[in-house]
Every structure is written in structure tokens, then in C-alpha cells.
Amino acid sequence: MTDERLRRWRLLLGGASGELSALGEDDRRRDSALTGLYGGGAPTDAPDANGKRSAGLGGSSPVLHRWLGDIRTYFPSSVVQVMQRDAVDRLGLRQLLLEPELLSAVEPDVHLVGTLVSLSSAIPSRTRETARAVVRKVVEDIERRLADRLLAAVHGAVDHAKRTSRPRPADVDWSRTIRANLRHYQPDQRTVVVQDLVGHTRRSRSAALKDVVLLVDQSGSMAESVVYSAVLGASLASLKAVDTKLVVFDTEVVDLTEELRDPVDLLFATQLGGGTDINRAVAYGQSLVRRPTDTVLVLISDLYEGGVARELQRRVRELVQSGVTVVVLLALSDSGTPAYDHELAARLSELGAPAFACTPDRFPDLLATALRKEDVAEWAERHDIPVGR
């Protein structure tokens, strides 16, 4: 074996490989970081029975702080985020994340935000501002990636819905008008005779053209979906053409529409964890519907219903029959195929409320499709997203 292959095997196998290959200083730090998390070492960096220091993170803040620094130095950001999540889950380090010096050392990501939000009631005052800064950094990153796309998609969908053949001069869409009248082109005069104008009705400054109701399951398994829903909901709330409501629920229902001005405040107002009463949430969402044919209701839940499933199906049927576009997102996340109630997802899809998982980057196009009253199930299938299975 070459030295490089021996080195790779040594890093892969850890201490179990013995003296398979000597490691340089950087590789020893990498190896120590990996062993501390995955190698089942001692709870601190105290000497073991043979007098050697073994790896491990345990409950020592200085040890954990050094470990966080090492993984950020020796591994790419995507790997760091995975290792941090594993450390929280495998080693029970949630309480340590409430210490300011540790929070300042972590690599912020959506999963960490979910953990901080779930611990919000336990965060001490000395850590609260650090925790908010971590959450805001992730929120701003999501906004940079998705906000402009979402706003453009929704603007386009709402404008198309109000197209007219008798626009005011200032509202004429000249590109579309020329294309619509090319059949009237006069070769000898080298001009197009415009017989049909294409444009859009002018939006009222005071009235929204569409209503969007987001019902978000805040049970513990939906943490990532809650984070993305809060940020995307806040972006939607900035549009005058769309009236946006955001409601979170577990066994209780809380309307957080007034918190949409700041997604960080909104996130800290949620209470991740607990049971689920989807029927109760949909009943509240139903009470918000003013203009059924101009309303899109998005239920974001894994559909593990703790309430009355039969009543839930009845309410969804009523909403669809009244003209509301109902979409069920089993997850709004990048974490792959979610766990969900397959039977209830299939039944809701049969009722006309297609149920499927959606990544955040596809949500703008999905919402635009729903606002245009196009077939959402067909959109999902076109993107190879299985519906209601």
C-alpha cells in the first residue's frame, strides 16, 4: 500500500487500526476530532487506565470549545454541520449550546436553529443575544438564497391572474402585445398593426389580490420546516398583492401573523415539540378564508394526527369544494424523504389536496403554480415528486 492509502485507512478506521500508518500533526487533530465524536472515548480528555489521553467531548466546555474549533479548521462547512448535529444528538450536548462562548464557535445551520428554538424557554439571559445572532445569521442566509426568487414568482403569478385585453395605456405589456399582433404585420410599411392590446389590471394599493394561509406543524419532527416556513412567510408578508397568514400548531393553535415582520422574533415565538391536532389547525385556517377562489392554503405537516382524522378529511373536502387551493407539504426541507402518515397523505390527495414533500428552493415555483390555479399535482409529477403515497 502507498503511504497515502495507509493514511486514509488510518483516518477511516481510527485507533482500531493500531500503527497502520503514522499521522502528521494535522491528521492527528482530524483523527482526534472524529474519535471524540464517533470513537466512544472517555467523557473528557482525562488520562485512561493506561495513562494515555483518550478522546471524547463529554460535559467539559473547554474541551468542546477546542473540538468545535478543530472541526471548523479541518473539515468543510457541510461536514462541520453534520458533525455538530451528531454531537448534539449522540452526546447530549444541548445544554452546552446555551453557553455564549460555545454558540459563537459553532457553524450556524437550519438544524442548529431548530435546536435553539426548541430550547428557547431554557436559554439564560447571558446567552439570549448570542442565540438570536446565530438564528439571524441563518435567517439572512435563507433570505439571500430564496427571497428574491419567491417574490418574483409570486408577482408573476398574481400579475398573470389579472391579465386583461383592455388595459390602460400605462399598463400595456408591449412585448406580449407585439407578439399577439404579428399576424397583422404589414411588409410594405414594415410595421405591425395593433388590433389587440395585452396588459394587466392595475393593482389596488389597499387590497390584496390573493390570500395565502400557511398552517405549520411545530411538533419536534418538523423543526427544519418551521424555520423555512417562518423565513418564507416573512418574505411573502412584504408583498401588498398577497395577504399572508402564518399559523403554527401542535395540540394548540397560535396565529403568528403579527410576528411576520421579523422571522427571528417569529421563530422564538414558536414552541417546538409536543403533540399534534391537525384538524383543529385546519378548522382555524378555514375560519380565515374570505375569498375561497382567491385563497391558497398550505398545510405543512407530517400528518401524524393526534386529533380526529375523519373530521380533518371532512374539512379539507369542504375547503377544496369551496374553491380553495389546498396543498399539503409533508416537509419543507432539504433533509431527504421525510417520515409521514402515508395513508392520510393518500386520502387527502384523493380529496384534491395533493400531499408531497418539497425542498425550499422549489417552494417559489410551487406557490406560483397554486396562485395561478394550475394543477399542483401535475406540477409535482413533472418534477418527479411522488404525490400522496
Side-chain angles (χ1 to χ4, degrees), residues 22 37 45 88 161 192 276 339 373:
L37 177 57
D45 59 352
V88 170
V192 173
T276 310
K373 305 291 286 187

Side-chain angles (χ1 to χ4, degrees), residues 90-296:
R90 291 165 62 96
L91 304 178
L93 302 179
R94 292 177 185 272
Q95 290 303 315
L96 289 176
L97 290 178
L98 302 184
E99 299 184 16
E101 65 273 14
L102 294 178
L103 275 181
S104 63
V106 297
E107 185 75 27
D109 70 342
V110 171
H111 300 278
L112 177 60
V113 169
T115 299
L116 291 174
V117 169
S118 69
L119 295 171
S120 59
S121 61
I123 295 178
S125 57
R126 70 179 187 280
T127 310
R128 195 163 294 131
E129 287 307 310
T130 307
R132 289 181 65 86
V134 170
V135 172
R136 188 168 298 282
K137 183 174 181 180
V138 174
V139 164
E140 290 174 350
D141 177 64
I142 296 173
E143 288 175 333
R144 279 193 296 271
R145 291 191 292 118
L146 298 176
D148 287 346
R149 290 173 52 195
L150 177 65
L151 300 186
V154 172
H155 267 306
V158 172
D159 286 346
H160 276 67
K162 293 298 179 180
R163 190 178 299 173
T164 177
S165 60
R166 300 182 64 184
R168 299 177 183 182
D171 299 325
V172 175
D173 186 330
W174 287 109
S175 295
R176 292 182 179 275
T177 295
I178 291 171
R179 287 199 296 272
N181 289 274
L182 285 176
R183 64 183 181 277
H184 303 307
Y185 178 67
Q186 304 295 316
D188 54 333
Q189 300 179 27
R190 302 179 66 182
T191 189
V192 173
V193 177
V194 175
Q195 296 187 4
D196 301 299
L197 292 173
V198 178
H200 307 287
T201 56
R202 182 168 297 180
R203 290 197 294 266
S204 167
R205 293 185 179 272
S206 59
L209 297 178
K210 295 286 184 178
D211 297 332
V212 175
V213 179
L214 302 176
L215 301 179
V216 186
D217 185 341
Q218 63 175 351
S219 57
S221 59
M222 300 296 294
E224 188 176 350
S225 298
V226 170
V227 174
Y228 280 114
S229 299
V231 180
L232 293 170
S235 295
L236 282 173
S238 68
L239 288 173
K240 292 183 178 179
V242 178
D243 184 52
T244 304
K245 307 288 187 186
L246 188 139
V247 178
V248 298
F249 65 92
D250 40 39
T251 54
E252 301 295 328
V253 177
V254 182
D255 192 328
L256 294 179
T257 301
E258 293 302 315
E259 303 291 340
L260 282 171
R261 294 182 299 273
D262 186 341
V264 176
D265 287 342
L266 193 156
L267 283 168
F268 279 105
T270 63
Q271 296 291 326
L272 286 173
T276 310
D277 190 341
I278 307 171
N279 175 54
R280 188 173 182 178
V282 172
Y284 182 80
Q286 194 172 19
S287 73
L288 299 176
V289 175
R290 302 169 300 159
R291 307 174 295 174
T293 58
D294 288 324
T295 299
V296 175

Side-chain angles (χ1 to χ4, degrees), residues 53 90 112 133 211 246 335 350 361 367 373 385:
R53 290 190 178 272
R90 291 165 62 96
L112 177 60
D211 297 332
L246 188 139
S335 295
E350 290 170 359
D361 65 302
L367 185 58
K373 305 291 286 187
I385 302 173

Side-chain angles (χ1 to χ4, degrees), residues 365-387:
D365 190 27
L366 162 65
L367 185 58
T369 300
L371 289 169
R372 290 194 297 265
K373 305 291 286 187
E374 296 175 0
D375 191 325
V376 172
E378 181 181 300
W379 173 89
E381 291 176 3
R382 193 165 64 246
H383 289 84
D384 298 319
I385 302 173
V387 177

